Each structure stands twice: as C-alpha cells, then as structure tokens.
Amino acid sequence: MVGWRVAVLCWWVSCGAAAGQLEYSVLEESEQGVTVGNIAVDLKLSAAALSLRNFRFLSSHSESYFGVDLGSGSLVVREPADRERLCGTKAACILTYELMFEGPLELHKMRVHILDSNDNSPFFPAGDVQLHIPEFLTPGARFTLPNAQDADEGSNGVLSYSLSPSQHFRLDMGSRMDGSKYPELVLEKALDREQRDTHLLVLTAQDGGWPARSGDAQVTIIVVDTNDNAPVFEHSVYSTKVPETVPNGTVLVQVQASDLDEGANGEVWYSLSNSTLAELRHLFHVHPKSGEVQVAASLGPPETLLEVYVEARDEGALSMASTTKLLVEVTDVNDHAPQMDFITFSSSVSEDAAPGTVIALLSVKDEDLGSNGKVTCTMSSKGPFHLKASFDSYYSLLIGGPLDREQASEYQVLITASDGGSPPLSTQRILTVSVADVNDNTPSFSQPQQELYVAENNGPGTSLGCVFAQDPDLGENGLVLYELLDEISEGRPASSLVAVEPSSGAIIAKTSFDFEQLRNFHFQVEGRDGGIPPRSATVAINLFVVDRNDNAPNILFPLPRNGSIPVEIVPRSARAGHLVTKVVAEDADSGSNAWLSYHISQASDSSLFRISVSMGELRMARLVFPTDAVRQRVVVVVQDHGDPPLSSSVILGVLLSNSAPQVFPDFEDTWEPRGQLSSQNLYLVIALACISFLFLGCLLLFVCIKLSQSPDCCSQSCCHCPENVRHERTIASNPYMTSATIGVTTIERLSQTYLYRASLGLGSGNNSLLLHGEYRAADLRDLTTGVGLNLPISCVQIRNGKGDHTDVIAMVSKFEEVRGQLRELVSTTWILGVELKSSGLVASTFTY
C-alpha cells in the first residue's frame, strides 16, 4: 500500500497537479451519520465531480471512522471514534486521510481533529486505602493519600479532591518537587479507640468537565490501642447474705470488671486487695480469672457483717488497677415456718354485700428470731378481696369491690404467710368463698325485635316460632314465664290471632292466615322472672305471612263479549311484527308467584303469530300469504312462576281482512287443535312417508306403462292440459274404474278467500250421481276423498276453461288389491295439495 501511494504521489507531482490540505474537527464518540464537513464545497467542486473524477478516499487506519457521501460530498462519521483508545494521553488526536481525483490527477490531504469529550470518570488505581493510626497521636499529623487518574485531556482531565465530613480529619493538598499536587489526610482531633475503633471516610476525585464526573475511594482508618484505661467493676459495692452454716467452697458472689483496652492492656486478673483486714483474708478466696469469691473458712457467729475488698488489675506494660467492696452478712438459719390460725370465717357471702365487709380474721406467728421470725401475709385471688393488717400479727380478709354471682359464683382465696428468713419459709391456706344469689338481673331477649314467618293457609295450632329470654339469676330469680301483651294490630286484637305458651315461649297460630287479606302484623311478648320483686322485659314480634301460589292469573284484557270470542282485525297487508293485541293479566299473589309469562298454546296457524313472553304482546310472525285463511283463532296461556305454577287462558279470534265486515263471522268452529309431534314421531312419519312415496312411485310407473299401451287415451280430452299437468296420458277403459266429472265455477271473492260452485257427476248410466254446492279452495280437498266413497284417487286433471269457468275432470279408479296394500303401509290419508286456476289463478293436482 505504501509503495502504491509513493507511485501515485510521484505521478501527481510529474503531472503538475495542485495540492491542498483540509482541516476538520469532530467530537469523539459522535454517532454514525453525523456530518463533519463538505469536501466538495471546501475544494470548490461540485458534488457530481466526485463521481466523474473517480474520487478515492485513502486512509492508513484499519477502522473506517469517516467516509464521504458521493451524492452530497459530505464527510460523515461511519463509526464512533474513542479519542482515548486512538491517541491515549496525547494532547492532540489527529487522523490523516488522502483524497485523490483523476482527470486531471489531484491529491489532497485531510486532517481530522478528534476533540475530547468528558466520557471518562476519574478513578483511583490503588483502590481503597487503609491506614493504622495510634490513638496517642496529637492533632496535626498528616497522612498521604493516593492520586486519581482521568483519561480525558484538558479541563476534562483536571482533578479536584474532597473528603466526606469528619470531626477528626480534614483534607489538604500537598506539593511535590515537580509541582504536582497530591491529597493529604490531616488529623484534626485526637483519636480514642475505646469510643470508636474504626473511621470510614470517602475520598472523591472530580474532573472539570461539563457535566462533571467523579470517582470514589474508601479510606478506612483503624485506631491502634494504648493502655490508657483501668479496669472498671460493674458495681462499686457487692453485698450478699449467707447462713452461718455455709460450707467451705461456696461461691458467695462473682465480681466482674471490664477494661476498654484491647490485647494484654484489656486482660483483667482478680485478687484480694491489701485494704482487706488481715484477720479476714483467710476466710475468703478469689478466683483470678473468673472473679468468683468463695468461702474458705467458717465465717463466725450470725448477724455479723464482714467487709472485704477485691482488686482487678490489667496486664499492660504499665498496669492499672481498681477495687470494689464486698459486704458479707452472716445470718441465722431459718428452720421454722410461720403458723396461721383463723379466728372467724364466713364461707358464703351475698352478692349485694357492701365493700369493706369482713369475711375472715386470722393471726400469724413464727418461732424464729429476727428477720426469720418476722411474718408477712399476702393474698392471691381473682376476686374483689384484699388483705388488711389489723395490729401486731393479725390480718382481716375484706370485700374490696362489688360481687356479681352471674360472673363468678365462687372464689378461691390463697393466703400465704412468709417469714423474713433466707431462704424464707411460708405457709399457705385456701379459703373457698361462695356468692349467694339475689334477683338483680332483668330477663333479656337476644334482640328487641324478632321476625317470624308463616306460609299462608296454615292450620290453627301451627307453631310460628319461639321467643326466649335469658335471666342469669338462680332458682325462681332466673325462671322466666312468657305472656302475650294483647294489643290491636291490623284492626284485630293480637290474642285472636296468636297465643304464647307461658313456660316455653312458643308462639302458636290461633287461626289460618291469608296473605291476600293479612300480610303482616305485630305484637309484644313479656318475659317475667319469679324473683321478689319480679323483673320483666318485652320483645316486639313482627309476624309476616308468606305468600303461596294459590291464585291463578286473572286476564283483564281482552275479555269475551256476551260470551263470544274477542276478535281483532288485522289487514292482510300487515308485516311481520304488526301488533295484533296485548294480553293484560294480573295475579293476586306476590313475588315469583305473581311473575307472569305469556305463551301461545294453540293457533290455527302457529307460524303466523308470536307473543312476547314478558309483555303479552301478540304480533304477526310473518307476512300474510294469499292462502292463509281469513279466520284465525289463537289460544294464549298466562302462567305464573309459582310452585306448582297456575295458569289461565284466553281464546282470541283474528280476522285477516283489509276492512271490517258488517257482521263478524263465527270463530267457534274455525279449527281443531293439532297435536304436537315429538321428534321420534316426526322421524317415524318421515320414514313412513318415504316408504309410501316409493311405493306410490312404483305404482304410478306401473299405471303409466299400462296407459302408454292404450291408443285411445290420446284422443280423449282428459290428458290434454299442457299448462298444468306434467304427464299427458290417457287412461284406458277398465271395468274396475269409473269416471267422474267435476264442474267448478268461481262464484265470489272475499279478501283472499275464494269460493267455488262445483257439480259432480259419476259416469253415465244408472250409477251417475250429481252434486251441487259452494266450496272454498280448502274444501276442494274433500273432493279427493271420493265423495264419501272411500275410493283412492289415481289421477286428477284440471283443464282451463274460457271466461270465469274452469272444468275439472277427475278420473277415479278403484283397485281393491291396491287399497289393501295402502292400508297396511299408511294409516292416514295423505292430501298433498290442490290449486285451481281461474282468471289467472293456478290449478294443479297431486296424486297418491
């Protein structure tokens, strides 16, 4: 690479090209894409010239920190540069690059100054500092602390030091021969290891950048001990009492002294001080390490006070010592226990006894002398009693507060007589004090008011509940009898409705309650105890009658008029959702027993109507078809939610007409209820229908084959109706088949219901029969039953006529053997439908 550069430079010099130098500055750690300058502008070239002159950006660095955007000529940062990594501690950090152009050949130098940013915090290479300072040093002593370092340059690398607050130390700056500064720790106040053996300080170095960065080092100062403290006893005087018969080796007391120094300066040894009298030194022995003082010989007669001094000395070079006083009192041996005698005692006390009443009087005595014979009495009891010293060795047991037998009917009083011996001897006696009852409690009910519930239609004598009053007294004082306080409730005396059993408090109904007449009433019951004088309390009873579902819904609207079915008129143009009427009903019951729901139980056409379950609004479920009958009848059932539920029904007549008729038709025989098919019956009917159609298909195929073999059928007019009949076949004459001719004439049209006049003739000859009458479109289905002859229809053909008349010709054949098979397969006659065409009305025929 170097050789190539030299060759290029020589070529450039030989060509006489002009050279220039560019200077740029950029802050270290600048992000990628930051623009440093514009080379094209600084070289007075256009940005397009960089690509036209084959511009090259030459660098001697392995990392491509900068690059040139050929589109704009801008010098941009490609990779952030770390000045400390590139240049270390150099004052200036410069990266040099060569810029080469061709045509003509030009070579320019470019220098990029990497400016320092305060991105490095000061740090202490030596880490934390630990100093050992003796506690005897005087203030003013100085200790050198380590310097901190900062990789930044200029003001970013200038350091200042600070020390955490301390009453013993301060920070000062020292100077070296070369003029450099270093931190020093100066002792401001003398140290005391016994008060504080370790000092923790924080030395902080801060640079001059913005924002400033800092680094910390912990300075730990350990105070070195000197023997400047004497041992100190826990107590200045120790005292103990021992009997005169104490054996040798008995530990009287253990003295304890502490020295705040450490090491040998704080190690303590014990011994008898020279201040102890010589005649007493042989009576005691002190353990040098534990400080236990033991008896070494007999201590002498009782009631003698011995004074001994114990010394504690440390093991320092210049040892220090202190002493304490030990007082040993030799006492008499206590070998007699106190005696206790009761002069008077009352085992039973009335609970209304006044405080200060004397229950018992007792005397105590002890045969020992001195403190061993001095007796004191104490009492231990949870009751309101106290023990009072009367005179000399007599005590009285008194009532100290009010008694309550209901809280405590008996007390155990423990009286203890103890002497002043060491150890003391004592005697105990237990007194049982019973509290006699008085009638001081009133019967109390758990609640001032109670609620009872009874279902209506109950029988007389039914138990409604029970009241109970508590009386904590005993016997007759606590025996409560109940009585009904007669008062007027709901216009009737309470005694006529309920009764109260005196001993148990059971409340019994004296009559049957009807929720619709009496929903609730209240009365009071008194509870009275048998004390003298008696005490009583009352409780208020609220009795609520609970409703039963004993009333069926009452339909308020619509109501029959003069015994006839109410009729609503609905236009045939009504759409789905059209309101026909609203059924209004009420129920005398309450709660869920009065929640009503509305349902359609039966309808002439169940698909034509729907009803709101909660509102009772009867609406049209779909559009009215031309084939829908004019007269419709709907049965609406109103049912409550009681258990068991009760219901009422209303029959509604609906007249599908665009105008109100002058005379309403009769709806009594409009329809007959149709049974509901279960899912299993529905599947059975579908299966039977499929088998029947399969059989009829085969039968029809057989008849068609027979008809196709007869040449006379085509000449007859019975099969020529191309518009309405799919199969044009002629039925040959057969001795088992008779013909019938039906003449149908349109007579009248009312709304969308069509009336026809029909005449029927059965063949010619002696067997002919003519019928005349008026029929509706639905009545034409009756013709397929063979006019009461029970003849199956094999073919019905309808032929269009001119004008308003339509001729219908029906061919009826009787097949005895076929009828038997049909009866075995299908027990119900299936009429699939008939449509007539007159003046544009369609007519068609199905066979079975």
Side-chain angles (χ1 to χ4, degrees):
M1 178 63 72
V2 174
W4 180 81
R5 289 180 179 176
V6 172
V8 171
L9 181 62
C10 294
W11 183 31
W12 171 69
V13 172
S14 62
C15 293
Q21 181 168 316
L22 301 177
E23 297 281 343
Y24 296 102
S25 298
V26 63
L27 195 65
E28 68 170 328
E29 302 293 346
S30 295
E31 295 182 357
Q32 184 178 1
V34 174
T35 302
V36 180
N38 194 299
I39 295 175
V41 173
D42 295 339
L43 294 179
K44 299 180 180 180
L45 298 174
S46 63
L50 299 180
S51 300
L52 295 176
R53 297 184 60 181
N54 195 16
F55 169 75
R56 295 183 183 178
F57 186 75
L58 305 177
S59 172
S60 61
H61 305 285
S62 59
E63 293 86 356
S64 56
Y65 295 105
F66 302 96
V68 178
D69 185 2
L70 298 181
S72 62
S74 298
L75 178 66
V76 296
V77 176
R78 287 188 176 178
E79 182 179 345
D82 186 358
R83 192 198 68 81
E84 287 74 27
R85 188 174 68 85
L86 291 175
C87 303
T89 59
K90 292 182 181 179
C93 184
I94 301 173
L95 300 181
T96 59
Y97 296 91
E98 287 82 24
L99 310 177
M100 189 176 71
F101 297 88
E102 295 180 0
L105 179 64
E106 292 183 11
L107 185 63
H108 300 273
K109 284 188 175 293
M110 183 182 71
R111 294 167 38 129
V112 180
H113 294 262
I114 308 299
L115 303 180
D116 181 54
S117 63
N118 192 22
D119 57 344
N120 291 280
S121 299
F123 70 98
F124 291 88
D128 296 338
V129 180
Q130 190 178 71
L131 299 177
H132 294 265
I133 301 177
E135 62 177 333
F136 60 82
L137 288 182
T138 59
R142 308 174 74 90
F143 304 92
T144 302
L145 298 178
N147 284 88
Q149 296 182 2
D150 195 320
D152 296 325
E153 66 174 1
S155 61
N156 295 333
V158 176
L159 301 179
S160 61
Y161 297 89
S162 61
L163 187 68
S164 60
S166 173
Q167 62 176 346
H168 293 278
F169 300 93
R170 66 179 174 85
L171 186 66
D172 197 4
M173 298 300 298
S175 300
R176 299 187 179 92
M177 296 295 295
D178 58 357
S180 61
K181 301 288 184 179
Y182 61 91
E184 284 186 330
L185 188 66
V186 181
L187 181 64
E188 284 281 298
K189 182 180 178 182
L191 301 175
D192 188 352
R193 191 202 64 81
E194 287 71 33
Q195 293 183 359
R196 189 174 180 181
D197 59 353
T198 304
H199 297 264
L200 299 178
L201 304 176
V202 178
L203 178 63
T204 302
Q206 183 174 341
D207 60 23
W210 181 260
R213 291 175 175 264
S214 61
D216 297 332
Q218 180 171 300
V219 179
T220 303
I221 298 172
I222 300 175
V223 182
V224 180
D225 181 59
T226 58
N227 191 21
D228 56 348
N229 292 279
V232 179
F233 283 96
E234 292 181 349
H235 305 284
S236 59
V237 177
Y238 290 86
S239 61
T240 183
K241 295 180 180 181
V242 294
E244 57 179 337
T245 57
V246 62
N248 294 341
T250 302
V251 177
L252 299 179
V253 70
Q254 182 178 9
V255 297
Q256 187 71 36
S258 60
D259 195 324
L260 297 178
D261 296 325
E262 64 180 0
N265 296 331
E267 187 174 353
V268 180
W269 293 80
Y270 302 95
S271 62
L272 286 176
S273 172
N274 293 329
S275 301
T276 305
L277 296 177
E279 59 268 18
L280 297 180
R281 295 178 64 89
H282 70 281
L283 300 179
F284 303 97
H285 171 73
V286 179
H287 194 282
K289 291 298 294 180
S290 64
E292 292 180 348
V293 180
Q294 300 175 348
V295 176
S298 176
L299 299 181
E303 299 184 359
T304 302
L305 183 63
L306 304 178
E307 186 173 317
V308 181
Y309 294 91
V310 180
E311 179 185 81
R313 182 178 297 274
D314 61 27
E315 291 294 313
L318 299 175
S319 64
M320 303 182 71
S322 61
T323 60
T324 184
K325 182 188 292 186
L326 172 61
L327 298 178
V328 181
E329 182 181 357
V330 182
T331 62
D332 186 22
V333 176
N334 186 24
D335 54 353
H336 295 90
Q339 296 179 1
M340 187 185 310
D341 296 321
F342 285 90
I343 299 176
T344 61
F345 172 63
S346 297
S347 61
S348 179
V349 180
S350 177
E351 64 176 325
D352 58 352
T357 303
V358 177
I359 300 176
L361 180 64
L362 59 97
S363 64
V364 293
K365 62 181 179 179
D366 195 320
E367 295 181 0
D368 291 325
L369 301 175
S371 59
N372 293 337
K374 187 178 181 178
V375 181
T376 58
C377 285
T378 59
M379 183 198 67
S380 175
S381 173
K382 296 182 179 179
F385 306 101
H386 73 273
L387 195 63
K388 180 182 178 181
S390 297
F391 55 90
D392 291 339
S393 58
Y394 288 90
Y395 290 86
S396 298
L397 180 62
L398 309 176
I399 297 177
L403 297 174
D404 190 352
R405 190 207 61 81
E406 287 69 37
Q407 293 185 1
S409 61
E410 187 178 84
Y411 296 93
Q412 300 291 331
V413 181
L414 175 63
I415 299 177
T416 303
S418 301
D419 58 23
S422 180
L425 299 178
S426 62
T427 301
Q428 292 182 342
R429 290 286 298 273
I430 297 178
L431 303 181
T432 301
V433 180
S434 299
V435 181
D437 180 60
V438 296
N439 190 24
D440 57 345
N441 289 279
T442 301
S444 63
F445 293 92
S446 60
Q447 295 179 351
Q449 290 186 352
Q450 295 186 21
E451 295 181 353
L452 300 178
Y453 297 88
V454 58
E456 64 173 333
N457 303 326
N458 62 292
T462 301
S463 177
L464 305 180
C466 183
V467 293
F468 178 72
Q470 289 184 339
D471 193 325
D473 294 328
L474 286 179
E476 294 293 332
N477 296 333
L479 180 61
V480 181
L481 298 179
Y482 305 93
E483 181 181 357
L484 175 66
L485 298 181
D486 199 6
E487 60 183 20
I488 304 300
S489 178
E490 301 296 330
R492 301 175 62 181
S495 59
S496 65
L497 300 175
V498 295
V500 178
E501 209 283 324
S503 58
S504 65
I507 301 176
I508 301 172
K510 299 180 68 175
T511 183
S512 178
F513 299 107
D514 188 354
F515 176 80
E516 287 70 35
Q517 295 181 2
L518 179 64
R519 297 198 173 188
N520 63 82
F521 67 93
H522 60 275
F523 56 93
Q524 287 186 336
V525 176
E526 181 186 56
R528 180 182 292 106
D529 61 23
I532 300 176
R535 293 173 176 263
S536 63
T538 60
V539 60
I541 307 296
N542 292 323
L543 180 62
F544 295 92
V545 181
V546 180
D547 180 49
R548 282 184 175 178
N549 192 24
D550 57 348
N551 291 279
N554 182 25
I555 299 177
L556 303 178
F557 180 85
L559 295 174
R561 299 176 182 176
N562 299 326
S564 61
I565 297 175
V567 179
E568 299 291 339
I569 301 176
V570 177
R572 299 190 72 87
S573 59
R575 297 181 175 273
H578 176 79
L579 179 63
V580 177
T581 186
K582 181 175 181 179
V583 179
V584 180
E586 67 176 2
D587 197 315
D589 297 321
S590 65
S592 61
N593 296 331
W595 295 350
L596 303 181
S597 59
Y598 302 83
H599 309 277
I600 297 176
S601 64
Q602 294 177 339
S604 301
D605 190 344
S606 59
S607 65
L608 189 58
F609 303 98
R610 60 181 173 87
I611 192 169
S612 173
V613 176
S614 59
M615 301 298 294
E617 295 178 348
L618 182 66
R619 297 181 180 272
M620 302 296 292
R622 58 173 175 80
L623 295 174
V624 179
F625 296 151
T627 57
D628 290 333
V630 174
R631 295 183 298 168
Q632 299 286 338
R633 194 163 72 168
V634 180
V635 177
V636 177
V637 175
V638 183
Q639 180 176 295
D640 59 26
H641 287 72
D643 185 16
L646 301 178
S647 62
S648 300
S649 63
V650 61
I651 302 177
L652 303 176
V654 180
L655 183 62
L656 302 180
S657 176
N658 291 326
S659 61
Q662 296 180 355
V663 178
F664 282 92
D666 185 13
F667 283 85
E668 295 295 336
D669 56 351
T670 301
W671 55 276
E672 293 184 359
R674 291 178 294 179
Q676 298 290 335
L677 285 178
S678 64
S679 58
Q680 297 180 353
N681 293 337
L682 181 61
Y683 298 151
L684 180 59
V685 170
I686 294 175
L688 292 176
C690 294
I691 296 174
S692 300
F693 278 116
L694 181 61
F695 173 75
L696 293 177
C698 296
L699 182 61
L700 181 61
L701 179 62
F702 174 75
V703 172
C704 292
I705 294 174
K706 290 296 183 179
L707 292 177
S708 63
Q709 295 176 358
S710 175
D712 298 333
C713 182
C714 294
S715 62
Q716 299 178 2
S717 61
C718 63
C719 295
H720 292 280
C721 47
E723 297 179 358
N724 302 316
V725 182
R726 292 187 176 182
H727 304 283
E728 296 184 359
R729 297 293 181 181
T730 302
I731 302 176
S733 59
N734 195 301
Y736 299 100
M737 179 176 64
T738 61
S739 62
T741 301
I742 303 174
V744 180
T745 304
T746 300
I747 300 302
E748 183 182 0
R749 174 176 178 178
L750 174 60
S751 182
Q752 295 184 8
T753 301
Y754 298 90
L755 301 178
Y756 301 91
R757 175 174 294 141
S759 61
L760 177 62
L762 297 178
S764 59
N766 296 330
N767 293 330
S768 62
L769 175 61
L770 297 178
L771 298 176
H772 298 276
E774 295 182 356
Y775 300 89
R776 298 182 181 86
D779 296 334
L780 291 176
R781 286 178 294 184
D782 297 335
L783 299 177
T784 60
T785 61
V787 198
L789 298 177
N790 296 326
L791 299 179
I793 305 299
S794 62
C795 180
V796 177
Q797 296 179 342
I798 300 174
R799 187 164 51 184
N800 291 338
K802 296 180 179 180
D804 296 332
H805 299 278
T806 302
D807 296 333
V808 180
I809 302 174
M811 303 299 295
V812 182
S813 299
K814 180 177 180 183
F815 298 90
E816 294 295 340
E817 66 280 359
V818 174
R819 182 175 63 181
Q821 297 178 4
L822 285 175
R823 288 181 176 176
E824 293 177 0
L825 293 176
V826 183
S827 61
T828 303
T829 302
W830 290 78
I831 301 175
L832 303 181
V834 176
E835 293 181 355
L836 302 180
K837 181 176 182 183
S838 176
S839 299
L841 299 176
V842 178
S844 62
T845 300
F846 297 84
T847 63
Y848 81 104

